[in-house]
Amino acid sequence: MNIKELKKLVSDMSLEEKALQLTQYPVYELDEKTEAVVTGLCDLGGIDREVLWRTGTILNAPNGETAQSIRKTRRGKGIADPFPFMLDVIHGYRTIYPVPLAMACTFNTALIEDCAELAATEASCDGVDVTFSPMVDLGRDARWGRVMEGAGEDPYWSGEVGKAMIRGYHRGGIACCVKHFAGYGAAEAGREYNTTDISERNLREYYLRAYRACLKEQPEMFMSSFNLLNGKPILGHKEIMLDLLRKEWGFNGVVISDFGAVEELYEHGYCETGRDCARVAIESGLDIEMGSSVYASYLPELVRTGVVSEERLDEAVLRVLELKNKLGMYENPDRFTDIQKRDEVTLSESGRALSRRAVEEGSVLLKNDGVLPLKESAKIALVGPFADEHEIIGNWAGKGRIEESVTVKEGVESLLQKNVPYERGCSWKLFETDESGFEEAEHICAQADMIVACVGEHMMNSGEAHSRADIRIPEIQRKFIMRLHELEKPLVLVVFGGRPLGLSEIEEFADAILYVWQPGTEGGNGIANLLYGKATPCGKTVMSFPRSSGQCPIYYNCFTTGRPKKQDMPSALSGEEWRTGYDDEYNSPLYPFGYGLSYTEFEYSDFKLSAAKMKRGEKIVASVKLKNVGKRDGYETAQWYIHDLFASIVRPVKELKGYEKIFLKAGEEKRVYFEITEEMLKFYTDGGKYAAETGAFELYVGGNSRDCLKTNFELVD
Ligand code: BGC
């Protein structure tokens, strides 16, 4: 259809029909067994279930067969309007790959793109047209449950990951939605759905950067977030929704609310009535209301009484129709739903292999005192609540099925082609106190050469609505680890988590720590390959690992203060007082951003710059020799950081500006190059101009954000 035809469709609609184009409910609400009148959580509006059949889009997708039958039923009711099913396909559809936070640790955008394509292919054949992904909220606070959905604490890297995901979804044939706009990641104290207070500079420089970067790949939709920003709910923020997103950034796609967020304008204490919620949201530039029905209940009347212009309504409806048109739904409302193809592509061997590779590249080896990789001949005991647990696919796992995932035990036994002694030891539950399983686990451990304990956080203790005030491994498991340690055998911890957990209490008792996040369907196989050296770890963490909950939020790209400590130590130990820090805690994280070990070792040397001075508009090239000095082949991610030493607005101590993931055979050496441009030195200067300031800069290169080589250069006029 061309734009003229689409506009004609809009003008032929009644006001009620227009409001329904802008209303989205979950598919289960169509079920005859649900209440006849459907509302949101706040009950501020309501529409008849029968009317729900006429909405312009539908949330969630049951499966290809039901999708087809719903489309048929609509036609039976005389509704010709095609509609997309929209679902959260976050890290896989049926073949689940590791959670986005783990994917980001691969530092491999090609792999991220391939995984997103796989997810999109499985999903589109099964009736899904749009995914609510990527989520590019900045994750600086490990207490916040939703850090698992994003790409960590670095704004540049979050944008790169978001872009790769969008390319992958598009290659797989579905549209996508960047979320949650904006600033949701800054929820105070990491408490879910909580208030955010972010200065304009902080927003632009850090929180908004990844959303903006995503625009380059032309996502079809944006989702507004739940949070208050500087005292105003996002849906009341014309400055964010209209002035910034639409006018300044030129985004012309569909903006959808988060679930129930339009009605929540009332709960926030911002709008007194459902009618006012509808008015505020439409005036702020929101197109589709998800999960409540104040648009359907009040928009027609708001237009009739002249409070809201019909033009504004038409503009929103037209965007929805343009999306359907882009998806090819006017030609074929059933689009790519293809049951036969679905059955071929779903959980295919190649898909599983891809997902397994993602586990191998996204897991992070945090510690290794020479015990890993394991020898196949070693007599191990496999213990811990996650050793034979299928619930490791992660939260937001699309249509992934728990029972289809591979446990660590299954992976190890299939690799070794024999059974291994196993005991669970204890449960993963947060408030569990039952220690009765310890003894049997200790018994099999006593007979083994070494212990592999699979511990950590259950997949449903991270994700939406799963923030934690104490980010340590649950107490029962800490006790269990202590008991294992007392056996005085080499102890390997395989740690599961949707966030960087606080590991400092147990770290010293482990001889090796492999952090596997929530690894998805192929978890057990990927982990077994890593444990036995069939794959060499290369993941680099994209969130700093706090030593304790009290350190949150903690991130590498922070500022110094006027009173930096001379040594990083709790002041009660060092005696260094009146300095930035804590009496009882270090300032540094346990493991810094970008950190991750390998089974081989890399050496950086001969760090050079093509010139020590860079003129505006020109470039200089840095390079460093990178050598694999160990005995195994492996990947290293060389990371380039810059620090602007003195500026009109103080700059972070380090900022990631580039990276390169390189494969080096044992003994091999390569020179790695990095081009510095004026563009990458820009920031919002005092006065708000986005520009680079002349002066001295530090350039760092290394295998993590802490252990780097350093040199200096100058930007001159
Ligand atoms: C979440 C969104 C999600 C939506 C639809 C909300 O609760 O915050 O991320 O896309 O539900 O499932």
Side-chain angles (χ1 to χ4, degrees), residues 87-286:
L87 180 77
D88 295 274
V89 181
I90 307 292
H91 54 112
Y93 184 70
R94 260 293 276 290
T95 309
I96 302 302
Y97 43 89
V99 292
L101 189 61
M103 293 302 294
C105 296
T106 65
F107 276 88
N108 183 344
T109 49
L111 179 64
I112 294 170
E113 196 173 321
D114 287 348
C115 285
E117 182 189 8
L118 165 73
T121 308
E122 287 188 354
S124 71
C125 294
D126 205 24
V128 180
D129 305 288
V130 179
T131 173
F132 292 127
S133 169
M135 184 279 221
V136 292
D137 297 323
L138 208 59
R140 288 174 164 181
D141 193 328
R143 291 169 299 181
W144 191 44
R146 300 198 82 165
V147 296
M148 59 138 288
E149 289 175 56
E153 70 198 37
D154 185 78
Y156 153 74
W157 182 235
S158 297
E160 293 304 296
V161 172
K163 278 163 38 187
M165 289 169 83
I166 297 172
R167 289 195 296 272
Y169 293 139
H170 285 168
R171 260 173 38 197
I174 61 175
C176 62
C177 177
V178 175
K179 69 187 187 186
H180 309 83
F181 191 67
Y184 186 20
E188 243 177 47
R191 196 153 65 234
E192 180 60 312
Y193 307 128
N194 205 11
T195 294
T196 68
D197 214 304
I198 317 172
S199 70
E200 163 134 22
R201 179 181 313 284
N202 193 1
L203 254 183
R204 285 186 179 267
E205 193 100 34
Y206 306 102
Y207 284 90
L208 295 180
R209 256 183 66 190
Y211 308 110
R212 186 170 197 183
C214 284
L215 286 177
K216 293 207 180 77
E217 301 297 342
Q218 304 186 330
E220 290 74 9
M221 298 177 64
F222 258 58
M223 184 186 290
S224 62
S225 52
F226 287 124
N227 52 296
L228 278 191
L229 173 65
N230 304 337
K232 239 198 304 191
I234 288 292
L235 283 175
H237 248 294
K238 286 193 188 149
E239 301 87 332
I240 294 289
M241 301 270 291
L242 280 178
D243 300 346
L244 188 91
L245 182 61
R246 297 287 192 205
K247 294 189 192 140
E248 191 181 322
W249 292 0
F251 179 66
N252 205 23
V254 174
V255 179
I256 189 167
S257 76
D258 205 339
F259 196 96
V262 180
E263 271 194 349
E264 287 170 17
L265 287 167
Y266 167 80
E267 287 293 344
H268 275 301
Y270 191 70
C271 295
E272 266 187 83
T273 60
R275 183 176 182 272
D276 214 34
C277 294
R279 177 189 65 76
V280 163
I282 193 95
E283 284 178 351
S284 300
L286 181 78

